[in-house]
């Protein structure tokens, strides 16, 4: 089955995609307040040295997200 | 002033984390600031006075940085709790809102939330160093018109336009603000309107947005009474109010509303080219380079603490021994002279001797935080910390624990998840703090030979480093164990901003270091001073005339065995101490600590160290030097003093079997005990304050003491 979306961990380094929506309301609440909103373009910078976290850029803001947080953002394909 | 002179106008400084709030706070208040305990919240909040031209004053309070009034950590909850509680003693009459010009959109969310609370507000656009570089241009007149609040440009860094900000503040205080917006920014949904009406009706809350926030946060808002909480729970239940969903919808609605304003006002949008920060991060957060650089930084940091602190510590020691000798020579011999020198001065030097190391460690940690490196460490080690039941943010507490556990425990407030925060608080005191350093130095110098192992590493250095490693291992192992034992379903977040790297704001660094050192000196200092005076009394006096009897016995013994004058003095001192209250206490606990290889004198040191471990060396100095004043004491350098103390400790034997006390096994066992035990009243007090109950403070104390005892016992068995 073809997926209609992907999530942040699917992005390769320096690949970007626009956010569509969130999976988890608690995380959505936190992330929207930090500037990650539907429509915002998310750029993957790199994975954490020991994994399980991602360094991303959203509108010039640099953020570190945990794997669960990164998975909760749905992106356009 | 609108509220008359009797009541000083209260201004709160609000903004997102990394908006440059603290620099502007420093610009506005100068050095007229203090950190105080805020009523109702267990948190230290900075406040300061602003003086205006006409001699009018206002109180400015720096609230913790937060992204919205829907908080996820206890730091952020303070802001929401204060702004929804107009009856609070510190409720602001007006707010200065600081926003980062480069990320205007993200920073306006909280502004519009506060606007809806009806508190007079003023928007200060902070131009960071890089704002000009990024080429952003904002039409503040347009922005001000569209938002309905006064807007000023300021630079926290250079102090540019601070006078303009002050002028706007004065207008806000006098109620002569040019613009006053009354209509709410956010239009609630039908469901929210009904909810708000019900809350207003039942609680008498006037402001609709405040009523809405109370409905969202009724479970934890501290000012609500039990009956109000029940009423609110019923309202939320009957209206089928979905708090989280509503929060997200409201946030997005606000963004939709002000994004056009930003687009209209920003004449030239900032470009975000590949900056220095990106180049630095490619290295500093690199999958191999990042952790390696972190460990190198830590190593250099602790190296610097020892290297740089040698000289100031020497000066303090020399100064005190000079003062001590001077007083002893000037005052007539007797209990008063003894109290002043062996009690008070000894205690004071025990406090002041730590200042260089604590100051240097705080300086370096503050710099790392100011430049923005700490959040990278949080990012890199989140996974590692989670294995031990903590959060990436716990790294900051653990590193800070290397200086002093008290501020380190307080810095755990940024951790939202209660379990992660609790574990951080519980394990931070395992990290060897600067108070343990002198204990380590004395014991290692005493029992570990300065030989090179395999011609490479000095055995003393190795043992010293092992003590630090032991603390780290104990912290991670107990964190891991606690994680298995505690289980919460509360959400846990990493989501942290990695700010642009920047030069530290030196004034802020200096102020922070000053505050932390001062807090240490007054907080821990009082205890150390008290303990050393009490110890002096306990070791000088005994029950009835026991001390005098002991002295006479010693004198007779000395005469029959024909001892020299100084040997007689030592014998008398020893007998007097044994007969004193302190000696009795030591003897009383000796059976309990004998399995670890300790005698009653170490017992006294252990007992007194339970208030503050830095008392240990002072106690030993009192115990081993007392009475035996040497004739050339004034010419003796401090190194010789230490050597004399060590020499005396080496000669010490157990009274029952005559075997030496300070063998390698005893020294190692003591080292391990001091590395693991929680011997610090200030830490216990701060844990009680931060966790809100004695339960966790006592649990931590018991757990750490038991662990220290068992491990010290094993070490003694292994080496003896």
């Amino acid at each position: 089955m073809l997926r209609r979306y992907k999530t942040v961990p699917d992005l390769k380094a320096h690949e970007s995609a626009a956010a569509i929506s969130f999976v988890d309301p608690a995380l959505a609440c936190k992330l929207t307040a930090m500037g990650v909103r539907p429509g915002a373009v998310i750029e993957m910078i790199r994975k954490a040295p020991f994994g399980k976290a991602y360094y991303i850029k959203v509108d010039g803001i640099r953020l570190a997200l945990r794997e669960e947080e990164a998975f909760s953002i749905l992106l356009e394909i | 002033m609108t509220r008359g002179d009797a009541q000083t106008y209260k201004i709160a400084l609000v903004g997102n984390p990394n908006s440059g709030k603290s620099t502007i706070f420093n610009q506005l208040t100068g050095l007229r600031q203090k950190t105080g305990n805020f009523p109702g919240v267990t948190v230290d909040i900075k406040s300061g006075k602003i003086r205006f031209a006409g001699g009018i004053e206002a109180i400015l309070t720096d609230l913790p940085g937060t992204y919205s009034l829907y908080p996820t950590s206890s730091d952020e909850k303070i802001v929401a709790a204060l702004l929804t509680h107009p009856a609070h003693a510190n409720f602001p009459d007006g707010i200065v809102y600081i926003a980062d010009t480069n990320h205007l959109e993200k920073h306006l969310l909280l502004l519009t939330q506060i606007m809806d609370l009806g508190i007079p507000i003023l928007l200060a656009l902070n131009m960071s160093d890089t704002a000009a570089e990024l080429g952003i241009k904002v039409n503040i007149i347009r922005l001000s018109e569209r938002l309905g609040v006064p807007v000023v440009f300021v630079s926290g860094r250079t102090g540019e336009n601070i006078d303009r900000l002050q002028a706007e503040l004065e207008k806000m205080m006098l109620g002569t603000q040019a613009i006053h917006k009354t209509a709410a920014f956010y239009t609630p949904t039908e469901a929210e309107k009904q909810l708000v009406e019900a809350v207003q009706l039942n609680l008498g809350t006037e402001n609709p947005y405040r009523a809405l926030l109370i409905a969202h946060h009724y479970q934890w808002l501290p000012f609500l009474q039990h009956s109000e909480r029940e009423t609110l729970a019923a309202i939320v239940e009957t209206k089928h109010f979905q708090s989280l969903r509503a929060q997200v919808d409201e946030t997005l609605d606000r963004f939709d509303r002000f994004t056009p304003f930003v687009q209209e006002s920003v004449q030239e949008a900032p470009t975000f080219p590949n900056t220095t920060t990106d180049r630095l991060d490619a290295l500093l957060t690199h999958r191999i380079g990042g952790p390696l650089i972190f460990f190198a930084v830590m190593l250099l940091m602790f190296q610097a603490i020892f290297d740089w602190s040698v000289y100031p510590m020497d000066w303090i020691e020399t100064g005190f021994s000079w003062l001590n000798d001077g007083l002893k020579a000037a005052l007539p011999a007797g209990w008063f002279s003894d109290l002043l020198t062996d009690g008070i001065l000894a205690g004071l030097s025990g406090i002041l001797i730590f200042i260089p190391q604590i100051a240097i460690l705080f300086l370096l940690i503050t710099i790392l935080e100011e430049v923005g490196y700490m959040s990278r460490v949080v990012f890199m080690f989140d996974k590692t910390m989670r294995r031990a039941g903590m959060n990436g943010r716990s790294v900051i507490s653990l590193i800070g624990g290397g200086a002093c556990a008290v501020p380190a425990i307080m810095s755990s407030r940024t951790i939202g998840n209660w379990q992660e925060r609790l574990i951080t608080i519980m394990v931070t005191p395992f990290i060897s703090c600067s108070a343990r350093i002198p204990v380590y130095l004395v014991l290692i110098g005493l029992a570990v030979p300065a030989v090179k192992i395999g011609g490479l590493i000095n055995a003393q250095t190795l043992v010293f480093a092992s003590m630090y490693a032991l603390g780290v291992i104990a912290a991670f192992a107990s964190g891991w164990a606690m994680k298995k034992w505690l289980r919460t379903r509360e959400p846990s977040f990493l989501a942290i901003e990695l700010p642009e790297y920047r030069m530290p704001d030196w004034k802020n660094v200096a102020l922070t270091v000053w505050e932390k050192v001062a807090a240490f000196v007054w907080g821990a200092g009082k205890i150390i001073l008290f303990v050393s005076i009490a110890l002096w009394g306990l070791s000088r006096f005994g029950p009835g005339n026991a001390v005098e009897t002991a002295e006479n016995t010693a004198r007779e013994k000395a005469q029959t065995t024909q001892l020299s004058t100084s040997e007689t003095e030592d014998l008398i001192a020893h007998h007097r101490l044994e007969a004193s209250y302190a000696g009795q206490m030591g003897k009383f606990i000796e059976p309990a600590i004998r399995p670890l290889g300790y005698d009653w004198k170490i017992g006294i040191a252990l007992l007194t160290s339970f208030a503050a471990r830095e008392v240990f060396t002072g106690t030993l100095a009192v115990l081993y030097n007392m009475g035996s004043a040497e004739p050339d004491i004034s010419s003796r350098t401090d190194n010789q003093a230490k050597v004399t103390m060590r020499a005396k400790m080496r000669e010490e034997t157990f009274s029952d079997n005559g075997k030496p006390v300070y063998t390698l096994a005893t020294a190692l066992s003591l080292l391990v005990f001091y590395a693991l035990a929680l011997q610090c009243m200030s830490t216990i007090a701060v844990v009680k304050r931060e966790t809100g109950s004695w339960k966790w403070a006592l649990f931590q104390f018991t757990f750490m003491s038991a662990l220290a005892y068992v491990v010290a016992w094993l070490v003694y068995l292994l080496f003896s």
Side-chain angles (χ1 to χ4, degrees):
Chain A
M1 202 181 89
L2 199 67
R3 278 199 304 173
R4 306 279 301 277
Y5 57 81
K6 56 183 175 181
T7 64
V8 172
D10 293 326
L11 295 174
K12 291 184 192 72
H14 302 290
E15 195 186 340
S16 309
I20 311 170
S21 68
F22 301 95
V23 177
D24 177 89
L27 286 170
C29 190
K30 174 92 186 165
L31 292 170
T32 44
M34 293 181 81
V36 185
R37 310 186 308 282
V41 175
I42 295 174
E43 183 190 353
M44 167 63 74
I45 304 296
R46 66 181 65 84
K47 226 175 153 166
F50 307 105
K52 299 266 177 195
Y54 298 90
Y55 184 146
I56 61 162
K57 248 188 193 183
V58 186
D59 291 334
I61 299 165
R62 300 173 180 84
L63 291 177
L65 299 183
R66 255 181 205 167
E67 204 170 48
E68 298 91 308
E69 292 158 354
F71 273 128
S72 82
I73 308 169
L74 304 182
L75 305 172
E76 270 176 11
I77 281 213
Chain B
M1 274 202 281
T2 47
R3 302 185 56 166
D5 284 315
Q7 205 166 8
T8 319
Y9 197 87
K10 293 186 289 282
I11 303 163
L13 208 55
V14 184
N16 286 12
N18 306 307
S19 55
K21 238 158 33 69
S22 51
T23 30
I24 291 180
F25 178 77
N26 291 337
Q27 289 282 3
L28 281 170
T29 58
L31 290 166
R32 298 179 298 275
Q33 50 175 270
K34 61 175 185 359
T35 304
N37 214 332
F38 223 48
V41 290
T42 53
V43 104
D44 290 322
I45 301 256
K46 269 184 165 185
S47 61
K49 270 188 187 153
I50 314 180
R51 293 211 180 104
F52 294 97
I56 317 168
E57 283 188 348
I59 301 278
L60 184 71
T61 307
D62 189 14
L63 293 180
T66 180
Y67 291 105
S68 98
L69 292 179
Y70 298 111
T72 50
S73 76
S74 56
D75 239 11
E76 296 176 340
K77 278 181 180 172
I78 292 162
V79 183
L82 177 68
L83 298 184
T84 49
H85 186 33
H88 193 285
N90 297 79
F91 187 79
D93 300 303
I95 286 175
V96 175
Y97 188 88
I98 313 293
D100 179 354
T101 317
N102 284 327
H103 305 292
L104 206 46
E105 265 183 57
K106 190 194 79 169
H107 283 252
L108 290 186
L109 171 70
L110 178 61
L111 174 92
T112 66
Q113 289 179 330
I114 296 172
M115 280 164 58
D116 285 351
L117 287 173
I119 309 169
I121 195 164
L122 148 60
L123 172 61
L125 295 184
N126 191 18
M127 296 285 282
S128 57
D129 291 336
T130 51
E133 209 179 293
L134 299 179
I136 187 168
K137 276 196 186 135
V138 185
N139 181 341
I140 57 169
I141 299 167
R142 174 68 62 86
L143 188 65
S144 171
E145 273 171 16
R146 300 308 309 257
L147 286 171
V149 292
V151 182
V152 277
F153 268 127
V154 283
S155 170
R157 289 276 160 148
T158 61
E160 204 182 316
N161 273 350
I162 288 292
D163 48 340
R164 293 261 297 275
L165 178 61
Q166 288 221 6
E168 280 299 329
L169 261 175
E170 228 173 333
K171 280 188 209 158
M172 184 162 83
M173 289 166 66
L174 297 165
T176 56
Q177 269 181 341
I179 312 153
H180 195 68
K181 179 149 176 151
T182 44
F185 196 87
Y186 169 67
T187 322
T189 60
E190 265 321 301
E192 282 173 331
K193 270 183 196 149
Q194 286 182 19
L195 181 83
V196 164
E197 273 165 26
V199 175
Q200 286 178 313
L201 200 69
N202 283 282
L203 264 75
T205 317
E206 259 180 60
N207 180 289
Y209 189 56
R210 184 167 292 129
L212 182 63
L213 285 175
I214 291 173
H216 276 294
H217 303 322
Y218 74 92
Q219 282 166 320
W220 59 266
L221 280 176
F223 57 86
L224 292 174
Q225 272 149 29
H226 184 67
S227 58
E228 291 176 320
R229 234 180 275 275
E230 279 182 348
T231 314
L232 287 161
I235 294 172
V236 166
E237 176 76 22
T238 52
K239 304 278 177 203
H240 305 289
F241 182 51
Q242 300 271 330
S243 176
L244 278 175
R245 184 64 30 224
Q247 288 176 28
V248 179
D249 290 344
E250 182 199 316
T251 303
L252 294 178
D253 183 84
R254 283 179 189 276
F255 271 109
D256 286 345
R257 212 159 286 227
F258 63 65
T259 304
F261 300 170
V262 175
Q263 282 163 353
E264 278 173 50
S265 322
V266 174
Q267 290 161 329
E268 272 173 53
T271 50
F272 298 104
N274 225 6
T275 60
T276 320
T277 298
D278 295 307
R279 284 191 291 272
L280 277 171
D281 269 343
L283 190 65
L284 295 176
T285 63
H286 185 266
R287 52 184 307 181
I288 298 157
L292 282 180
I293 291 170
F294 169 75
F295 289 117
V297 167
M298 287 298 110
L299 210 65
L300 282 175
M301 197 162 104
F302 284 94
Q303 178 75 38
I305 292 159
F306 293 112
D307 285 355
W308 297 351
S309 63
V310 171
Y311 298 101
M313 284 174 87
D314 265 359
W315 300 332
I316 294 170
E317 273 196 351
T318 317
F320 268 98
S321 74
W322 176 81
L323 201 63
N324 199 15
D325 299 344
L327 278 176
K328 275 209 166 129
L331 291 168
W335 70 267
F336 181 71
S337 158
D338 283 356
L339 170 66
L340 215 57
T341 52
D342 296 333
I344 296 173
L345 267 191
L348 276 179
S349 73
I351 303 159
L352 296 176
I353 200 74
F354 287 115
I355 291 178
Q357 280 175 346
I358 288 201
I360 293 166
L361 194 43
F362 278 137
L363 173 77
L364 297 174
I365 290 173
T366 312
I367 292 174
L368 288 182
E369 267 185 271
E370 277 268 325
V371 297
Y373 182 63
M374 281 298 198
S375 53
R376 271 72 184 182
V377 180
V378 168
F379 160 65
M380 288 193 289
F381 293 100
D382 182 60
K383 185 191 165 193
T384 322
M385 302 310 285
R386 284 183 87 188
R387 286 233 170 117
M390 290 178 267
N391 187 293
R393 289 173 178 81
S394 311
V395 173
I396 297 172
S397 297
L398 294 191
I399 294 171
C404 176
V406 174
I409 284 171
M410 291 198 282
S411 67
S412 71
R413 281 176 198 146
T414 52
I415 303 168
N417 178 288
W418 170 240
Q419 181 190 312
E420 290 174 346
R421 185 169 164 220
L422 183 66
I423 294 178
T424 309
I425 292 172
M426 289 294 119
V427 307
T428 296
F430 274 123
I431 304 298
S432 281
C433 64
S434 54
R436 286 175 174 104
I437 295 168
V439 183
Y440 292 168
L441 290 180
V442 166
L443 291 170
I444 289 173
L446 189 71
V448 182
V451 291
K452 294 245 157 125
I453 295 173
L456 278 171
I457 311 163
N458 187 328
Q460 292 190 331
T461 318
L462 186 72
V463 174
F464 193 82
S466 311
M467 288 302 116
Y468 275 86
L470 179 68
V472 174
I473 293 166
F476 278 87
S478 37
W480 179 82
M482 275 187 83
K483 181 182 135 191
K484 298 273 152 199
W485 174 50
L486 296 165
R487 287 257 173 228
T488 57
R489 309 194 62 190
E490 212 188 337
S492 154
F493 298 105
L494 171 65
I496 189 171
E497 219 179 308
L498 305 168
E500 197 104 351
Y501 286 113
R502 53 179 196 192
M503 280 302 285
D505 172 4
W506 294 109
K507 196 174 165 188
N508 202 31
V509 170
L511 274 168
T512 310
V513 173
W514 164 252
E515 270 170 23
K516 293 200 167 163
V517 171
F520 169 81
V521 172
W522 297 127
K526 275 185 287 194
I527 297 166
I528 299 169
L529 192 61
F530 173 79
V531 169
S532 52
I533 293 172
L535 179 67
W536 171 85
L538 287 173
S539 53
R540 199 173 196 281
F541 305 106
N545 57 354
V547 175
E548 286 70 27
T549 320
E551 181 169 349
N552 292 334
T553 321
R555 223 175 268 286
E556 279 164 27
K557 213 188 211 173
Q559 262 172 358
T560 51
T561 51
Q562 295 192 321
L563 292 178
S564 71
T565 328
S566 79
E567 280 170 335
T568 312
E569 291 284 319
D570 279 351
L571 192 69
I572 291 170
H574 191 268
H575 277 251
R576 281 183 67 114
L577 180 66
E578 204 168 349
S580 71
Y581 288 114
Q584 311 253 319
M585 279 157 61
K587 293 252 167 185
F588 179 73
I589 67 154
E590 199 182 48
I593 54 172
R594 195 58 197 274
L596 312 185
Y598 312 156
D599 71 343
W600 58 274
K601 282 190 180 178
I602 302 177
I604 301 172
L606 281 182
L607 284 177
T608 54
S609 306
F610 268 100
R613 50 176 78 83
E614 43 273 54
V615 173
F616 177 79
T617 43
T619 306
L620 288 186
V622 172
L623 297 183
Y624 291 109
N625 280 343
M626 242 179 59
S628 63
E630 283 161 36
D632 60 341
I633 190 161
S634 54
S635 67
R636 200 171 66 179
T637 69
D638 295 289
N639 266 338
Q640 279 171 316
K642 270 185 204 141
V643 171
T644 338
M645 189 168 124
R646 280 181 196 159
K648 284 197 179 162
M649 287 168 76
R650 277 207 188 95
E651 286 162 16
E652 202 60 22
T653 55
F654 280 111
S655 46
D656 49 359
N657 58 16
K659 285 183 182 160
V661 173
Y662 290 96
T663 57
L664 180 67
T666 304
L668 289 180
S669 152
L670 253 182
L671 276 170
V672 167
F673 190 89
Y674 272 84
L676 297 177
L678 178 58
Q679 298 158 296
C680 178
M681 266 165 45
S682 316
T683 304
I684 296 173
V686 82
V687 170
K688 192 248 157 193
R689 204 177 77 153
E690 294 292 312
T691 60
S693 80
W694 283 109
K695 184 178 90 174
W696 290 112
L698 291 176
F699 166 77
Q700 181 180 38
F701 176 77
T702 317
F703 172 68
M704 289 182 70
S705 306
L707 186 71
Y709 188 91
V710 172
V711 180
W713 178 63
L714 290 175
V715 166
Y716 184 70
L717 284 185
L718 197 68
F719 284 89
S720 62

